[in-house]
Amino acid sequence: MSAYFLMLTKRFLWIACLLLIPGCSETLLQTMDRQASEKIRQRQRDALGESGFSIDTHDHDTNRADHVALDTIGTANDAYDMQPGTRNDAAPPIPRRSPDESTYATDRTNHTGDSDGANGDGVDVGRNVGEDVKGGVGGNVGGNVGGGGTSDAQMQPVVEPMVIDLEGVLAIAIERSREYRDRKEDLFLTALDLLIERHLWGPRFFDTFTTRFVGVPESGDHDQVMEISNSFGVRQRLPYGGEVSITALTSYVNYLRESATKAASGDGSETQTGALTLSATLPLLRGAGVAAREDLIQAERDLVYAVRDFERFRREFLVSISSDYYNLLLGQANLRSRQNQTKRFEQLSLRTQALADAGRESVLEVQRTENRLLQAQAAETSEQQRYSDSLDRFKIRLNLPLATPIEILPVEVVAPDPVLHEAEATQFAMANRLDLQTTRDRVADAGRRLRVAKNDTLPDLDLFASTTARTDGDKQFAGFDLDAGASDYEVGITLDLPLDRRRQWLSYRRAMVLAERAKRDFGLSRDRVIQDVRSAIRQIERARFTLELQERNLVIASRRLLRVQIRSLGPFEYLEAETELIQAQNERDAALRDLRVAMLQYLLNSAQMRVAANGQWIEPVGLVPIEADGKSDAGHEVSETNEMNESGDETS
């Protein structure tokens, strides 16, 4: 009981602070932000666990509906659970394929910067979201991640490029990305909606001052009265409908101008009275029972859904950012290939010109070589433009200034090369996909709203009761000295027959349609989860096969160029072989990129991906730098061919 009165006192002090001290409004907003953030963290811990894995509060009974592969819909009572259970089990160990079964090799891309470049510090999702909302997305990200240099405009220092790897990219995306902040704010707004609804179900104070002047003109008489009244009280909603309130009323009346009758009676020109009223209303049919708490139940469940949606978005967002990162690495590799090709064509052009001057080569071959050199230079310029455009789009997505120079450091996402078991992956996804769990719980929401709509068609049968204690009317200034003899009470029932319920019946019919639609949506989502897993497995298998073909194609192209070099064929054969080798390298890199993305997409679709609060991958996925000398057999052959190429050009 003391805790209840302490809560009432705190709320009263908040209201007084807000009204009397202007500076307290900022403190009140900070308190609300803190409450919303605490509510979000609580729901994240309940749904996802302390470290990103949920710890189910229920017993791990495999017969429970929560622990089935989500093929069944919960019971009607589950719809009234304000915190529906969430499955977010730790991903099981993924069996790796044996080394001889792996067909793809390490990327041929070398480092574009120092391997010890600065990594991103990451962002804690569990921090105060309210501070994020008010504070904006400012901050020197370049200084945190890898940028440097002074800001003195007169010195005009050379701006060093921001060297970032995949971990730094993910950290910057979490810290600065607009779409990430939008989704984070959506979660915060949902928490604020819950706080608003909870406030409506708590004790609510009110204090009303009223001042009025009343005049009664009559023939020969004219009364003028000033009345000042204050009504202070508190009201509280009841759990199953209705409301109870207690009100203290104080009234002061001053007769500014008295009539002759009033003056003759000898009554005073000033009076003060008081009264204390306790009243309650309780619905018996319409609006009674758990239907009265519909808004509160839905607000509580919406926050759970928002937590799930945000966590699902974080995983999808990081996969998407990683895909963009690998596309940039692929663009770097293609650009390097074009640059190397242009360099070798320049050497070949000089060599052909020298042979033509010595009379050992025709002018036609010189012109053909120069033409291919111009084509190579044009292709290099186009590749440079495409890479620059991709880099600018990437900066916009990360919310970095376009003028900020960045250097992408290649980092390999080491994911296990899994043995793909479709049945096991599908079963795990059906039990742990957060979006599917939300769709299932929305079926329960639709059923609950259907019952609420049915309740809304009932007659209004309300029980009301009130009692009022007043002060002694014979006293001119009674203060707040209540007189038991001047008290009264009333009890009654109000019945409003449902003569016009057409709008309610139409709403009930609408709720029936929405309930059926929710069931179909759940069935569709369940089928799509299965299709996503199957598609991801097929995508991995296709990427593996494509990579194996491109590896073979790369070996063939490198051997052909080697034969052309050994047999000292003409410039035209050399140009053709060089072009095929560059194309084979680019296609092999694209196939490797597709396999990496397919691996991440498989972990996402099968609900086996876990992302820490700072944006780092959680096992079974890790980050390691790409070794500069890490090449497959085809890569070694290409390297040997390029070395022989360069030595042959120098000899010539």
Side-chain angles (χ1 to χ4, degrees), residues 251-449:
S251 178
Y252 168 78
V253 178
N254 189 336
Y255 292 89
L256 301 177
R257 180 178 178 180
E258 297 177 315
S259 64
T261 305
K262 188 71 176 179
S265 64
D267 294 336
S269 62
E270 296 180 340
T271 60
Q272 182 270 322
T273 59
L276 182 64
T277 302
L278 175 64
S279 62
T281 59
L282 182 65
L284 302 179
L285 291 178
R286 185 184 181 190
V290 292
R293 296 185 298 163
E294 169 61 22
D295 294 339
L296 178 61
I297 294 174
Q298 190 60 57
E300 293 278 3
R301 294 170 68 92
D302 284 343
L303 183 56
V304 176
Y305 302 159
V307 168
R308 293 176 184 170
D309 293 342
F310 181 67
E311 180 62 25
R312 175 70 181 176
F313 164 76
R314 291 181 67 244
R315 300 171 185 178
E316 294 175 342
F317 178 73
L318 297 184
V319 170
S320 177
I321 291 293
S322 301
S323 300
D324 292 344
Y325 169 84
Y326 282 125
N327 289 333
L328 288 177
L329 293 185
L330 179 61
Q332 286 182 355
N334 294 341
L335 179 58
R336 243 188 323 269
S337 298
R338 293 296 182 183
Q339 292 172 346
N340 294 334
Q341 184 185 43
T342 302
K343 179 181 178 181
R344 287 193 289 269
F345 281 1
E346 290 175 351
Q347 297 173 353
L348 182 61
S349 178
L350 295 175
R351 174 188 174 189
T352 305
Q353 183 65 45
L355 292 175
D357 293 341
R360 299 172 54 187
E361 197 64 77
S362 64
V363 179
L364 180 61
E365 290 296 335
V366 175
Q367 295 175 350
R368 182 182 298 176
T369 304
E370 291 178 351
N371 185 33
R372 296 302 294 270
L373 174 60
L374 295 177
Q375 293 177 0
Q377 292 174 345
E380 178 186 348
T381 303
S382 299
E383 193 66 43
Q384 177 67 56
Q385 182 179 359
R386 282 194 295 269
Y387 179 74
S388 299
D389 292 341
S390 300
L391 197 60
D392 287 344
R393 288 192 295 269
F394 193 63
K395 291 178 184 178
I396 292 176
R397 190 174 189 187
L398 296 182
N399 195 19
L400 291 175
L402 292 178
T404 303
I406 63 175
E407 185 176 347
I408 304 298
L409 182 66
V411 171
E412 175 73 35
V413 172
V414 178
D417 190 11
V419 177
L420 302 176
H421 295 291
E422 180 179 325
E424 296 179 3
T426 301
Q427 182 179 3
F428 190 83
M430 292 284 291
N432 291 274
R433 278 280 292 264
L434 299 178
D435 52 344
L436 183 61
Q437 297 179 56
T438 298
T439 306
R440 179 204 60 183
D441 291 334
R442 291 194 185 279
V443 176
D445 292 341
R448 188 187 65 254
R449 284 192 290 268

